[in-house]
Amino acid sequence: MRLVLLGAPGSGKGTQAAMLRDSLRIPHISTGDLLRAAVKAGTPLGLQAKAVMDAGKLVSDDIVLGMLEDRVAEQDARAGFILDGYPRNLAQCAALEALLDRINQPLDVAVKLDVPNELIVERIAGRAAAEGRVDDTPETVRARLRVYAEQTAPVADHFAAIGKLVTVDGVGELDEVFDRIVAALPA
Ligand code: AMP
Protein backbone atom coordinates (compact mmCIF):
# COMPACT_ATOMS: atom_id res chain seq x y z
CA MET A 1 0.00 0.00 0.00
CA ARG A 2 1.32 3.42 -0.97
CA LEU A 3 -0.51 6.17 0.78
CA VAL A 4 -0.24 9.87 1.44
CA LEU A 5 -1.56 11.35 4.66
CA LEU A 6 -2.78 14.91 4.33
CA GLY A 7 -3.91 17.26 7.05
CA ALA A 8 -3.01 20.57 8.62
CA PRO A 9 -0.16 20.76 11.16
CA GLY A 10 -1.55 19.32 14.39
CA SER A 11 -4.19 17.23 12.64
CA GLY A 12 -2.61 14.08 14.05
CA LYS A 13 -0.90 12.96 10.83
CA GLY A 14 2.36 11.96 12.48
CA THR A 15 0.69 9.92 15.21
CA GLN A 16 -1.67 8.17 12.82
CA ALA A 17 1.16 7.52 10.36
CA ALA A 18 3.13 5.76 13.11
CA MET A 19 0.09 3.64 14.01
CA LEU A 20 -0.42 2.75 10.35
CA ARG A 21 3.27 1.83 10.04
CA ASP A 22 2.92 -0.68 12.87
CA SER A 23 -0.29 -2.11 11.54
CA LEU A 24 0.52 -2.25 7.81
CA ARG A 25 4.25 -2.97 8.35
CA ILE A 26 5.40 -0.42 5.81
CA PRO A 27 7.71 2.52 6.55
CA HIS A 28 6.46 5.89 7.73
CA ILE A 29 8.23 8.52 5.66
CA SER A 30 7.94 11.99 7.18
CA THR A 31 9.73 14.77 5.32
CA GLY A 32 9.53 16.85 8.52
CA ASP A 33 11.38 14.08 10.42
CA LEU A 34 13.96 13.75 7.61
CA LEU A 35 14.54 17.51 7.72
CA ARG A 36 14.73 17.63 11.53
CA ALA A 37 17.31 14.81 11.40
CA ALA A 38 19.37 16.81 8.87
CA VAL A 39 19.15 19.90 11.11
CA LYS A 40 20.22 17.87 14.13
CA ALA A 41 23.11 16.31 12.24
CA GLY A 42 24.21 19.78 11.13
CA THR A 43 24.51 18.79 7.45
CA PRO A 44 24.79 21.66 4.92
CA LEU A 45 21.25 20.87 3.85
CA GLY A 46 20.07 20.94 7.45
CA LEU A 47 21.70 24.29 8.06
CA GLN A 48 19.97 25.67 4.99
CA ALA A 49 16.60 24.27 6.02
CA LYS A 50 16.64 25.33 9.66
CA ALA A 51 15.75 29.01 9.33
CA VAL A 52 12.95 28.24 6.89
CA MET A 53 11.49 25.59 9.20
CA ASP A 54 11.77 27.84 12.24
CA ALA A 55 9.72 30.45 10.35
CA GLY A 56 7.04 27.89 9.50
CA LYS A 57 7.66 28.23 5.77
CA LEU A 58 8.28 25.52 3.20
CA VAL A 59 11.80 24.29 2.54
CA SER A 60 12.66 24.39 -1.17
CA ASP A 61 11.03 21.76 -3.34
CA ASP A 62 14.41 20.56 -4.67
CA ILE A 63 15.86 19.83 -1.26
CA VAL A 64 12.82 17.96 -0.05
CA LEU A 65 12.38 16.00 -3.28
CA GLY A 66 16.02 14.87 -3.17
CA MET A 67 15.57 13.58 0.36
CA LEU A 68 12.33 11.87 -0.55
CA GLU A 69 13.79 10.17 -3.63
CA ASP A 70 16.64 8.74 -1.56
CA ARG A 71 14.27 7.48 1.10
CA VAL A 72 11.76 5.93 -1.30
CA ALA A 73 14.62 4.12 -3.05
CA GLU A 74 15.52 2.26 0.15
CA GLN A 75 14.77 -1.43 0.30
CA ASP A 76 12.06 -1.29 2.96
CA ALA A 77 9.93 1.07 0.85
CA ARG A 78 9.44 -1.55 -1.83
CA ALA A 79 6.54 -2.99 0.12
CA GLY A 80 4.88 0.42 0.18
CA PHE A 81 4.99 3.47 2.44
CA ILE A 82 3.03 6.07 4.33
CA LEU A 83 3.99 9.58 3.28
CA ASP A 84 3.52 12.21 5.98
CA GLY A 85 4.16 15.87 5.19
CA TYR A 86 4.66 15.41 1.46
CA PRO A 87 3.40 16.69 -0.95
CA ARG A 88 2.90 20.17 0.52
CA ASN A 89 2.14 22.03 -2.73
CA LEU A 90 1.08 21.26 -6.29
CA ALA A 91 4.64 21.25 -7.64
CA GLN A 92 5.60 18.59 -5.07
CA CYS A 93 2.47 16.69 -5.99
CA ALA A 94 3.51 16.60 -9.66
CA ALA A 95 7.07 15.61 -8.66
CA LEU A 96 5.74 12.77 -6.51
CA GLU A 97 3.53 11.47 -9.28
CA ALA A 98 6.45 11.61 -11.74
CA LEU A 99 8.71 9.79 -9.27
CA LEU A 100 6.17 7.05 -8.58
CA ASP A 101 5.47 6.67 -12.30
CA ARG A 102 9.16 6.28 -12.97
CA ILE A 103 9.49 3.45 -10.45
CA ASN A 104 6.18 2.00 -11.51
CA GLN A 105 4.65 2.26 -8.04
CA PRO A 106 1.56 4.43 -8.31
CA LEU A 107 -0.08 5.89 -5.26
CA ASP A 108 -3.07 3.94 -3.95
CA VAL A 109 -4.78 6.59 -1.87
CA ALA A 110 -4.51 9.99 -0.22
CA VAL A 111 -6.15 10.21 3.20
CA LYS A 112 -7.04 13.66 4.49
CA LEU A 113 -7.52 14.13 8.23
CA ASP A 114 -10.15 16.74 8.86
CA VAL A 115 -9.75 18.73 12.10
CA PRO A 116 -11.22 22.19 12.78
CA ASN A 117 -8.69 25.02 13.13
CA GLU A 118 -9.65 25.87 16.76
CA LEU A 119 -8.80 22.33 17.82
CA ILE A 120 -5.55 22.41 15.88
CA VAL A 121 -4.32 25.49 17.70
CA GLU A 122 -5.15 23.80 21.03
CA ARG A 123 -3.42 20.56 20.06
CA ILE A 124 -0.27 22.31 18.90
CA ALA A 125 -0.07 24.26 22.16
CA GLY A 126 -0.14 20.89 23.95
CA ARG A 127 2.54 19.47 21.65
CA ALA A 128 4.73 22.54 22.13
CA ALA A 129 4.65 21.95 25.88
CA ALA A 130 5.37 18.22 25.50
CA GLU A 131 7.99 18.18 22.72
CA GLY A 132 9.41 21.69 22.66
CA ARG A 133 9.42 21.98 18.86
CA VAL A 134 10.87 25.35 17.84
CA ASP A 135 8.20 25.73 15.15
CA ASP A 136 5.28 25.24 17.55
CA THR A 137 5.10 28.86 18.79
CA PRO A 138 1.70 30.55 18.23
CA GLU A 139 3.15 32.85 15.58
CA THR A 140 4.79 30.04 13.62
CA VAL A 141 1.71 27.88 13.94
CA ARG A 142 -0.32 30.66 12.32
CA ALA A 143 2.22 30.83 9.48
CA ARG A 144 2.09 27.05 9.03
CA LEU A 145 -1.71 27.03 8.96
CA ARG A 146 -1.63 29.77 6.34
CA VAL A 147 0.85 27.81 4.22
CA TYR A 148 -1.41 24.78 4.56
CA ALA A 149 -4.52 26.64 3.42
CA GLU A 150 -2.79 28.37 0.53
CA GLN A 151 -0.45 25.69 -0.77
CA THR A 152 -1.39 22.28 0.61
CA ALA A 153 -5.19 22.38 0.44
CA PRO A 154 -5.02 22.40 -3.41
CA VAL A 155 -3.13 19.10 -3.21
CA ALA A 156 -6.17 17.49 -1.58
CA ASP A 157 -8.35 18.98 -4.32
CA HIS A 158 -6.06 17.42 -6.91
CA PHE A 159 -6.31 13.96 -5.35
CA ALA A 160 -10.08 14.38 -5.14
CA ALA A 161 -10.20 15.28 -8.84
CA ILE A 162 -8.38 12.06 -9.78
CA GLY A 163 -10.57 9.97 -7.47
CA LYS A 164 -7.83 9.11 -4.95
CA LEU A 165 -8.88 11.18 -1.94
CA VAL A 166 -10.67 9.91 1.12
CA THR A 167 -11.49 12.34 3.91
CA VAL A 168 -11.56 11.09 7.48
CA ASP A 169 -12.88 12.89 10.55
CA GLY A 170 -9.77 13.50 12.66
CA VAL A 171 -11.62 14.48 15.84
CA GLY A 172 -11.79 11.85 18.55
CA GLU A 173 -9.65 9.31 20.37
CA LEU A 174 -6.52 8.13 18.55
CA ASP A 175 -7.90 4.61 18.17
CA GLU A 176 -11.20 5.87 16.83
CA VAL A 177 -9.50 8.00 14.19
CA PHE A 178 -7.19 5.10 13.34
CA ASP A 179 -10.15 2.74 12.82
CA ARG A 180 -11.79 5.31 10.55
CA ILE A 181 -8.64 5.54 8.45
CA VAL A 182 -8.30 1.78 8.14
CA ALA A 183 -11.97 1.49 7.15
CA ALA A 184 -11.44 4.11 4.44
CA LEU A 185 -8.41 2.42 2.83
CA PRO A 186 -8.90 0.65 -0.49
CA ALA A 187 -8.98 -3.14 -0.29
P1 AMP B 1 6.12 18.68 9.66
O1 AMP B 1 6.85 17.87 10.65
O2 AMP B 1 5.59 17.86 8.51
O3 AMP B 1 5.07 19.57 10.25
O4 AMP B 1 7.20 19.66 8.97
C1 AMP B 1 7.88 20.62 9.74
C2 AMP B 1 8.50 21.67 8.82
O5 AMP B 1 9.42 21.03 7.92
C3 AMP B 1 7.51 22.39 7.91
O6 AMP B 1 6.89 23.49 8.54
C4 AMP B 1 8.42 22.82 6.76
O7 AMP B 1 9.22 23.93 7.12
C5 AMP B 1 9.35 21.63 6.63
N1 AMP B 1 8.79 20.61 5.69
C6 AMP B 1 8.34 19.37 5.97
N2 AMP B 1 7.91 18.73 4.88
C7 AMP B 1 8.07 19.62 3.87
C8 AMP B 1 7.80 19.58 2.48
N3 AMP B 1 7.23 18.51 1.90
N4 AMP B 1 8.12 20.68 1.73
C9 AMP B 1 8.69 21.76 2.28
N5 AMP B 1 8.95 21.86 3.59
C10 AMP B 1 8.66 20.81 4.38
Side-chain angles (χ1 to χ4, degrees), residues 21-44:
R21 170 197 59 208
D22 295 342
S23 142
L24 301 175
R25 299 176 181 282
I26 48 177
H28 165 204
I29 302 180
S30 154
T31 47
D33 284 350
L34 292 173
L35 286 163
R36 280 184 289 277
V39 170
K40 204 166 160 207
T43 65

Side-chain angles (χ1 to χ4, degrees), residues 15 24 47 50 65 70 84 95 120 144 153 181:
T15 308
L24 301 175
L47 294 177
K50 185 177 185 329
L65 180 62
D70 290 349
D84 159 17
I120 282 190
R144 286 160 63 211
I181 296 175

Side-chain angles (χ1 to χ4, degrees), residues 41-106:
T43 65
L45 188 154
L47 294 177
Q48 214 180 316
K50 185 177 185 329
V52 180
M53 293 172 74
D54 288 353
K57 297 189 178 147
L58 294 185
V59 175
S60 89
D61 290 345
D62 291 354
I63 289 185
V64 184
L65 180 62
M67 290 184 11
L68 181 73
E69 280 174 335
D70 290 349
R71 183 62 189 87
V72 166
E74 283 177 40
Q75 181 70 30
D76 63 344
R78 290 212 185 155
F81 48 77
I82 301 141
L83 265 189
D84 159 17
Y86 194 100
R88 282 277 226 289
N89 60 31
L90 287 173
Q92 292 186 3
C93 193
L96 175 68
E97 288 178 326
L99 165 66
L100 296 183
D101 256 4
R102 209 157 59 230
I103 58 176
N104 219 354
Q105 298 190 348

